[in-house]
Amino acid sequence: MESKEKELLTLKGKVGSCKKCELWKRRNHPVFGEGNFGSRLMFIGEAPGYFEDQQGKPFVGRAGKVLDELLESVGLQREDIFITNVVKCRPPDNRNPLPDEIEACSSYLDEQLQLIQPQTIVLLGKFALSYIFEKFDLKQRKISEVHGKVFKVRDLMGIKRLIPLYHPATATYNPQIKEVLLKDFKSVKIGT
Ligand code: URA
Ligand code: SF4
């Protein structure tokens, strides 16, 4: 456990000085992710936004408020989970991350998964869905088709559950999505 923590902190240091893609030039702070290194539950978002880039922490802006509500609805707290993003530095003007940025950054997410070994991976939005489904050799799917469903995959460490959800940011401009998220979130709780 201690060495796993050490390895994650070393990895955090690497992300802190990373220049593997162009996004380092305009970032204020890379966002490694935070939470419980021993958690069985990992959440993966897209990329830091304005406030995340300012603070170096994941999901601290408006989408983060929605996420906190969702967690609370099933009796979970930030300390119970680990949360990160596919891409660790903020894309300018919150544009989508580009394929070469995802490719450059994904080794960090891969290492985080390897070290934390979550049993349940919650995929927040289409970029996490697409990256993780490809990683586990699952067919690419639209989030509208698979949100709230549980996909079981097996790797060398055993069985994992993948749960795609709408990105919490979508609930900030679409209240109906918030209802869907609250309903889908029940699948997150089961089995934790
Ligand atoms: N949206 C994300 O995908 N990640 C964050 O950390 C914040 C907003
Ligand atoms: Fe490095 Fe990822 Fe930041 Fe690009 S987004 S500079 S790959 S940490």
Side-chain angles (χ1 to χ4, degrees), residues 45-47 52 58-59 85 167:
E46 176 180 325
E52 290 77 20
F59 284 92
N85 288 301
H167 194 290

Side-chain angles (χ1 to χ4, degrees), residues 14-25 27 30 86-90 100-106 108:
K14 279 192 201 161
V15 170
S17 56
C18 180
K19 295 183 176 175
K20 281 204 288 181
C21 80
E22 296 283 301
L23 293 180
W24 76 271
K25 290 184 181 162
R27 74 179 173 220
V86 174
V87 163
K88 311 303 193 209
C89 302
R90 181 188 182 219
D100 64 336
E101 292 160 355
I102 294 171
E103 199 186 322
C105 207
S106 57
Y108 298 125

Side-chain angles (χ1 to χ4, degrees), residues 5-18 30-35 37 55-58 82 88 108 111-112 115:
E5 241 177 74
K6 255 177 139 173
E7 285 186 63
L8 280 158
L9 291 175
T10 305
L11 188 63
K12 185 175 180 177
K14 279 192 201 161
V15 170
S17 56
C18 180
V31 180
F32 178 71
E34 69 177 10
F37 288 166
Q55 298 180 34
K57 292 178 177 194
F82 186 82
K88 311 303 193 209
Y108 298 125
E111 278 196 61
Q112 288 172 318
L115 288 165

